[in-house]
Amino acid sequence: MAKELLSLDNGTICSSWNYSDTRLATGSIDGTLSIFDLRDSTSSTSNSLRSTFKTKVHEGNIVKIVWLLPEYGDAVACISADGIVSLLEEIVEDSKPLQWKLCKTFGSSASKVLDVQFGISLSRLKMVAAYSDGHVRVFELLDPLELTNWQLQAEFQNVIESVSSFGKALSLSASISLNPQKGGSQESSFLVGFNSNTPELNSSKVWEFDQAHQRWLPVAELALSEDKGDQVYAVAWAPNIGRPYEIIAVATHKGLSIWHLGLNPDHTGRLSVERVALLSGHEGAVWQMEWDMSGMTLATTGDDGMVRLWQSNLNGVWHQQAAFEPTS
Amino acid sequence: MSPDAVGNGALIPFSGETNDSLAVYPLHHGLARPISRVALSWSRGNSLRVSLFAEPSGSFDTGDGAKVIEVKLGGGDPEIDDADWRRIAYGSVAPFALLQSRRNSLSALSKSSYHLDWWEHVLQYSKDISSLLTGPKLAPNPIIEDPNEIVTKNEEPTCLKAAWELMEIFYVDKQSQAWLPEKLVDWLADYDSLFTSTQETIHGKLVDFQNDLVNIQVIEDDPRYWEVMSSALSVGWLDIVVKMLRLHGSYQIDQLSKRELENGLVEAVAVLISKMPRLRPESAAGNLGECFKSKPDFTKAWEKWRSQITKLDCSPYWIQCDNQQTREGLRNMLQVMLGNTENLCTASCYWIELYVSHFLYIRPFTTGIESMYNLAQKCIQLKTPTGTHRLTGLMIGILAENTEVVIAEISREFGPWMVAHAVELLTSGSEEAEILLHDERYNLGGISMVELHRLAYAQVLSSHALTWQIAPIYLTSCMKQGMGLLENLLYRQSVQHNNLLLKNIEICRLYELDHISSNIMKVAGVYHWKHGRKGAGVFWLQQSQDTNCLDRIAQQLFDSVGKSISDESFKQWEGLIELLGSESKPAGGLEFLHKYRDFKKSLQMVYSGKSTDAARQAVGSLILLMKNPSTPQRFWLPLLFDSLKLLNWKDSPLLSVSETNLLLNKLQELSLARQRPHFTEPNLPPQALSSIRLALATNLGRAILDE
């Protein structure tokens, strides 16, 4: 049962729904951010979206929009094609009316931001950003009510052996996925993979914050030894509602891999990994992967323009459950 | 399977087997230009939102550039519309919850999970659910009965109800196990019409014949009359057959020829049919046939009845009956009653009808599921199905005692609601099914199939605004992962609407999800705070006990100390201090804020009314503030600057000598503090300090003179 919710202007190239699926943010090639609101989320029949705000954020394309967590208000991060991240929030200031306000920008033309994700750990909002030079930076919000004050907490490259540094790395894209667990008081972990010219940077790695040494450590690498240099298109960490292991999806040119990640570290601090499936479907690159809220169904889309759904059957065998083909 | 309908249940999660042929569904968007990008977002439950972006075009008035489409996956049975589904969903909550609570209280009483009378509870549950599945009522029966009305029905049968009752017959109703074949006869009588969609059925033949009835002059001359009657007889629709027999022309009084004998034969068959012995406790009111509860009684009556049929069959009267149609038709019916396989095979249309006729006329004592399965195999061979019907797969699965096939069938054909509710039937009394369905599997993430299907159903409920609120009932019956999914579901509810917010918090309270409700309240608090409803913001942040944010708010209130603020914002500021109360952690700071509020209040009165009394009061507050050690040093200068008017009071000096000295000492302390690092200059006009000094000096002078 498919239903059209909204038509968007010419030039719109990305969109993102907020936590409750009641607001939609869209970005376009001329740098315009638009916000749409569901008129009434409680009524099922007349959930029509109306445009509530429009502003030019940037000169170039907005290629990706990420909503911040609702604990920090209604705010989005817009990533532009030239690697600038603009943070905007909806706020009433002084006696001015409600409006979206730019509160912070990250990145520069020299070191472009490719992807950002937000998560809460130790009761603080963290922003993980992946840069075109292969660096990952973790920022921390200092004041929970002010999205302007961020502090750089850590900076590192996506490599297992931290002794080597790759100065000339050039990345086309990167994908970050935070462990979606809701325990805000715990230290979070995240997953990042690159699509770069430096093989060592590419493979998806799970990073965890080591309290004792106050630094981020790689605790797992999600690639078989022969695949470690493969460029990563997208990663997605599945919500875990009670499984004794984590499930992670990684897309490379070889296909879509589903990984099981152990919950408890071994004596070296590493988490056990097992690739449980390698699936083929999209020809070429995978654009996006999204897990449903139970972490049982994965939806993907890619170069072939299809939307594909993946599930595991009762015997734990992953397979493509269905596909959708856009037709006019 | 039609690829057009996404909602036809093809996307039911977790089928047992992997489908090699992938279902590809079209996603109609109506955009003129080709799609260059697609974005995905899961909404609550199993609804997926897809944004399709067309290639941007150079000119900006070329129509829509993108579409956002919502796809609901695996909705369920297409036979039933959305509103009816919701009625069923809501109606099944109470029986489900009752059964769960009974199970819990039983397992609390004894360790064994298997109870002898458990099936009785399940039967009650099954009846409750079944009553919900009734299709739409058809027009009430006419008051004047149409003598030609052969087939009557009161409600539109649905496959869903047929499937449910079939499972109830085989899995739950232990009392009726002895006359299970007769239950199948009744089941087919109720639901034979459903099979008309895929094959010819006796019901369909009857309806067709009835439609033609008005056009038929001499009914007994029409071969279809006899054909339809023997068909109806073969599946045991005795009332219909007898009623049809009585339409026979020989019953009419105005006969041209003598037809008494013919009429006698017709009536003899009618009597035999109405006296047919049945192995069952009782039949529905008014139904023909004689019911026997015990096997010996039945056997006796059965033998007697058959001997009567044989006797009639060999009777010499047949030769004297000169109507050939009647003679052949009646004798064919006698063969059906005698269980002649060939006649039964011709009379029935498809294998289930043939199957049922076997129970009635050949093997009324069939017991044991294995022999029933073998019989079904035989019937399928005799009547190879022309098409597959959604109910036949289920029936074969049940007869083959293959729980996995049954689950897969009902899951594919009827959707998650059916599976989530039917597993209760499958596990009732069968330890094997119990083990299969309750066994926790690593491949499923450590949950059982029962839990998996409940989670899948809860996902369906979650994806609709009108049903998500019953999802918690099912989620909380899941031992392992239900709470996790419930947390995710609650977290994703919007906090904008107060009613919804209160409902969410109530659900959290019911299921003791304190951390989730605290989170929801924090989200609400920040939402209101940022959207200018500061009071509501502080209220919810306090409810969530988010000291982090509350501290920051208290800090912000400090920041406005010493600034000239309008009446409006002062009221708001004052209200916030009230709201924050004294319970908040930075108690020292709040004590100051409360004192500062008193000072500000009287100062405002001074500015508006100029009364000396008010001014004196303000001075009192000022001195209290300056004396108090909890007053932060950084506020001294702003406070004094605020009080310039008091220090320069025209009528008389308001501060005594000692009071003035106290303030001057504070100024002295401040100038010392300025030498230290990290000193932040208050945001005041440059001449502020000198004007304060001058005012204090003037006041001191006047005070000395006064004393």
Side-chain angles (χ1 to χ4, degrees), chain B residues 182 185 233-238 269-280 288-292 298 301-302 305 308-309 336-337 356-357 359-362 364:
Chain B
E182 281 281 347
V185 174
L233 182 63
S234 73
V235 288
W237 301 348
L238 307 182
V269 172
V271 167
L272 278 173
I273 290 171
S274 25
K275 296 270 177 221
M276 178 180 174
R278 309 283 290 261
L279 182 61
R280 57 191 295 160
L288 298 173
E290 291 187 344
C291 301
F292 296 91
F298 170 77
W302 169 261
W305 182 67
Q308 282 173 329
I309 299 169
V336 167
M337 286 194 277
V356 159
S357 72
F359 292 132
L360 281 165
Y361 301 106
I362 303 179

Side-chain angles (χ1 to χ4, degrees), chain B residues 280-527:
Chain B
R280 57 191 295 160
E282 68 216 353
S283 62
N287 276 8
L288 298 173
E290 291 187 344
C291 301
F292 296 91
K293 270 188 185 174
S294 76
K295 256 188 194 170
D297 293 348
F298 170 77
T299 316
K300 228 155 93 190
W302 169 261
E303 295 302 336
K304 192 180 159 203
W305 182 67
R306 283 178 65 101
S307 69
Q308 282 173 329
I309 299 169
T310 319
K311 202 172 142 198
L312 180 62
D313 196 32
C314 305
S315 155
Y317 293 118
W318 295 110
I319 308 155
Q320 295 170 37
C321 173
D322 48 10
N323 188 328
Q324 193 204 338
Q325 298 273 20
T326 304
R327 201 171 58 225
E328 281 175 9
L330 288 176
R331 295 193 78 176
N332 185 33
M333 288 167 78
L334 291 183
Q335 285 307 308
V336 167
M337 286 194 277
L338 285 172
N340 184 322
T341 317
E342 211 171 298
N343 292 57
L344 289 178
C345 214
T346 326
S348 53
C349 297
Y350 66 102
W351 75 266
I352 297 182
E353 288 173 353
L354 179 64
Y355 188 49
V356 159
S357 72
H358 267 79
F359 292 132
L360 281 165
Y361 301 106
I362 303 179
R363 294 162 65 174
F365 300 113
T366 310
T367 49
I369 198 96
E370 203 181 328
S371 56
M372 288 183 79
Y373 179 62
N374 293 337
L375 181 57
Q377 292 288 13
K378 194 179 138 195
C379 293
I380 292 171
Q381 273 172 15
L382 287 170
K383 286 254 175 217
T384 316
T386 49
T388 51
H389 190 271
R390 50 211 290 229
L391 287 171
T392 51
L394 171 62
M395 185 174 261
I396 294 168
I398 292 175
L399 292 170
E401 291 184 279
N402 191 334
T403 313
E404 273 164 318
V405 169
V406 171
I407 293 265
E409 285 291 331
I410 56 175
S411 161
R412 193 178 64 232
E413 300 297 341
F414 302 101
W417 173 88
M418 181 61 141
V419 198
H421 290 87
V423 287
E424 302 295 344
L425 309 185
L426 299 186
T427 55
S428 136
S430 157
E431 267 179 293
E432 206 177 324
E434 174 90 21
I435 289 165
L436 175 79
L437 293 171
H438 283 284
D439 196 23
E440 285 168 0
R441 299 163 179 225
Y442 180 80
N443 283 333
L444 300 180
I447 55 172
S448 66
M449 274 170 76
V450 170
E451 181 162 342
L452 179 74
H453 289 295
R454 280 185 196 158
L455 291 173
Y457 177 55
Q459 288 260 76
V460 174
L461 291 174
S462 311
S463 56
H464 199 285
L466 294 178
T467 52
W468 78 265
Q469 287 165 5
I470 53 179
I473 314 263
Y474 293 88
L475 288 173
T476 48
S477 74
C478 297
M479 294 305 288
K480 292 256 167 139
Q481 299 188 357
M483 286 318 237
L485 191 55
L486 180 57
E487 287 178 11
N488 285 356
L489 175 62
L490 289 167
Y491 182 80
R492 300 191 60 165
Q493 301 297 327
S494 168
V495 298
Q496 290 185 26
H497 302 277
N498 240 359
N499 291 344
L500 194 57
L501 178 63
L502 294 174
K503 185 138 225 162
N504 287 347
I505 293 168
E506 176 62 17
I507 293 174
C508 291
R509 196 189 58 77
L510 265 174
Y511 301 114
E512 294 169 6
L513 294 169
D514 293 344
H515 59 292
I516 296 294
S517 68
S518 154
N519 194 280
I520 290 171
M521 292 187 282
K522 173 177 178 164
V523 172
V526 172
Y527 172 79

Side-chain angles (χ1 to χ4, degrees), chain A residues 1-15 17 19-24 29 40-42 44 70-74 89-92 98 123 143-147 182 239 241-245 287-288 290-294 296-297 299-301 305-309 311-316 319-328, chain B residues 6-7 11-16 18 22-31 33 36-45 49 51-53 56-57 59-60 62 64-73 442-443 445 449 452 455 459 462 464-466 481 484-485 488-489 491-495 497 519 522-523 526-527 530-532 549 552-553 556:
Chain A
M1 183 170 42
K3 183 175 71 172
E4 183 184 317
L5 296 181
L6 185 66
S7 291
L8 298 166
D9 289 344
N10 177 31
T12 310
I13 47 169
C14 63
S15 73
W17 288 90
Y19 75 103
S20 60
D21 314 305
T22 50
R23 313 194 85 179
L24 178 73
I29 44 169
D40 185 11
S41 67
T42 51
S44 63
E71 289 88 337
Y72 296 86
D74 283 39
E89 74 167 328
E90 190 184 45
I91 192 166
V92 169
L98 186 69
S123 304
D143 178 342
L145 294 172
E146 293 286 340
L147 293 180
K182 290 280 173 296
I241 56 172
R243 264 181 272 108
Y245 47 84
W287 295 333
Q288 197 192 354
E290 291 286 321
W291 290 97
D292 74 336
M293 72 177 191
S294 66
M296 292 182 190
T297 308
T300 61
T301 181
M306 301 279 281
V307 175
R308 301 182 187 276
L309 300 181
Q311 279 180 345
S312 154
N313 70 5
L314 296 176
N315 303 318
H319 63 279
Q320 194 176 161
Q321 182 78 20
F324 296 91
E325 185 172 23
T327 54
S328 57
Chain B
V6 177
L11 286 176
I12 304 308
F14 323 116
S15 53
T18 308
L22 174 72
V24 178
Y25 304 91
L27 208 55
H28 295 285
H29 53 74
L31 290 169
R33 278 164 284 132
S36 66
R37 198 80 181 174
V38 181
L40 304 171
S41 175
W42 283 98
S43 186
R44 272 161 282 164
R49 290 180 177 173
S51 301
L52 302 162
F53 305 103
S57 98
S59 60
F60 262 75
T62 45
D64 294 331
K67 292 274 183 187
V68 184
I69 295 169
E70 184 171 57
V71 186
K72 288 243 162 82
L73 309 172
Y442 180 80
N443 283 333
M449 274 170 76
L452 179 74
L455 291 173
Q459 288 260 76
S462 311
H464 199 285
L466 294 178
Q481 299 188 357
L485 191 55
N488 285 356
L489 175 62
Y491 182 80
R492 300 191 60 165
Q493 301 297 327
S494 168
V495 298
H497 302 277
N519 194 280
K522 173 177 178 164
V523 172
V526 172
Y527 172 79
K530 296 253 179 181
H531 284 75
C549 283
R552 288 302 311 164
I553 288 173
Q556 285 191 12

Side-chain angles (χ1 to χ4, degrees), chain B residues 196-209:
Chain B
T196 316
S197 61
T198 52
Q199 55 238 316
E200 193 188 22
T201 62
I202 296 175
H203 181 271
K205 273 161 73 175
L206 270 170
V207 171
D208 289 347
F209 183 70

Side-chain angles (χ1 to χ4, degrees), chain A:
Chain A
M1 183 170 42
K3 183 175 71 172
E4 183 184 317
L5 296 181
L6 185 66
S7 291
L8 298 166
D9 289 344
N10 177 31
T12 310
I13 47 169
C14 63
S15 73
S16 173
W17 288 90
N18 76 338
Y19 75 103
S20 60
D21 314 305
T22 50
R23 313 194 85 179
L24 178 73
T26 67
S28 69
I29 44 169
D30 64 349
T32 305
L33 166 76
S34 303
I35 304 289
F36 297 86
D37 281 298
L38 267 188
R39 202 181 297 267
D40 185 11
S41 67
T42 51
S43 115
S44 63
T45 43
S46 65
N47 50 355
S48 56
L49 284 158
R50 69 195 160 104
S51 171
T52 50
F53 190 75
K54 207 171 195 178
T55 186
K56 201 169 164 85
V57 172
H58 202 265
E59 281 309 315
N61 292 0
I62 296 180
V63 290
K64 182 169 182 170
I65 298 177
V66 182
W67 284 86
L68 272 71
L69 301 171
E71 289 88 337
Y72 296 86
D74 283 39
V76 292
C78 301
I79 307 174
S80 69
D82 50 3
I84 310 289
V85 175
S86 313
L87 239 55
L88 290 100
E89 74 167 328
E90 190 184 45
I91 192 166
V92 169
E93 268 187 330
D94 303 328
S95 48
K96 281 181 254 168
L98 186 69
Q99 59 174 338
W100 285 80
K101 192 193 111 189
L102 180 70
C103 34
K104 180 85 181 168
T105 56
F106 296 90
S108 66
S109 52
S111 114
K112 295 180 184 178
V113 180
L114 302 173
D115 193 13
V116 291
Q117 290 295 330
F118 297 89
I120 301 176
S121 69
L122 299 171
S123 304
R124 282 203 168 181
L125 181 66
K126 296 253 169 34
M127 180 176 89
V128 182
Y131 287 74
S132 56
D133 56 6
H135 276 81
V136 175
R137 292 190 179 85
V138 181
F139 296 89
E140 217 175 50
L141 184 67
L142 296 175
D143 178 342
L145 294 172
E146 293 286 340
L147 293 180
T148 45
N149 298 336
W150 293 83
Q151 190 178 51
L152 182 66
Q153 186 214 18
E155 180 176 1
F156 47 88
Q157 281 190 314
N158 188 34
V159 286
I160 293 282
E161 300 302 331
S162 54
V163 281
S164 44
S165 175
F166 304 93
K168 272 178 267 169
L170 183 68
S171 241
L172 291 174
S173 69
S175 179
I176 307 170
S177 184
L178 266 70
N179 180 355
Q181 49 121 336
K182 290 280 173 296
S185 56
Q186 288 160 273
E187 187 60 65
S188 184
S189 46
F190 67 88
L191 166 73
V192 61
F194 279 86
N195 175 6
S196 79
N197 62 356
T198 311
E200 291 85 348
L201 289 174
N202 285 340
S203 68
S204 321
K205 293 161 194 95
V206 177
W207 293 85
E208 217 170 68
F209 194 71
D210 174 14
Q211 273 298 338
H213 301 94
Q214 287 291 303
R215 61 186 181 139
W216 288 87
L217 291 176
V219 290
E221 185 173 15
L222 301 176
L224 301 182
S225 53
E226 66 269 26
D227 301 335
K228 284 190 177 170
D230 290 352
Q231 288 150 349
V232 173
Y233 297 135
V235 294
W237 193 317
N240 186 355
I241 56 172
R243 264 181 272 108
Y245 47 84
E246 297 288 340
I247 291 181
I248 286 170
V250 176
T252 66
H253 70 96
K254 286 184 180 139
L256 178 65
S257 329
I258 306 287
W259 292 81
H260 281 189
L261 180 70
L263 297 182
N264 300 312
D266 63 13
H267 65 279
T268 61
R270 292 299 197 88
L271 299 175
S272 66
V273 292
E274 182 196 357
R275 188 175 80 178
V276 293
L278 176 65
L279 305 154
S280 60
H282 299 288
E283 303 292 322
V286 170
W287 295 333
Q288 197 192 354
M289 300 198 287
E290 291 286 321
W291 290 97
D292 74 336
M293 72 177 191
S294 66
M296 292 182 190
T297 308
L298 177 71
T300 61
T301 181
D303 269 351
D304 59 355
M306 301 279 281
V307 175
R308 301 182 187 276
L309 300 181
W310 312 83
Q311 279 180 345
S312 154
N313 70 5
L314 296 176
N315 303 318
V317 179
W318 284 84
H319 63 279
Q320 194 176 161
Q321 182 78 20
F324 296 91
E325 185 172 23
T327 54
S328 57

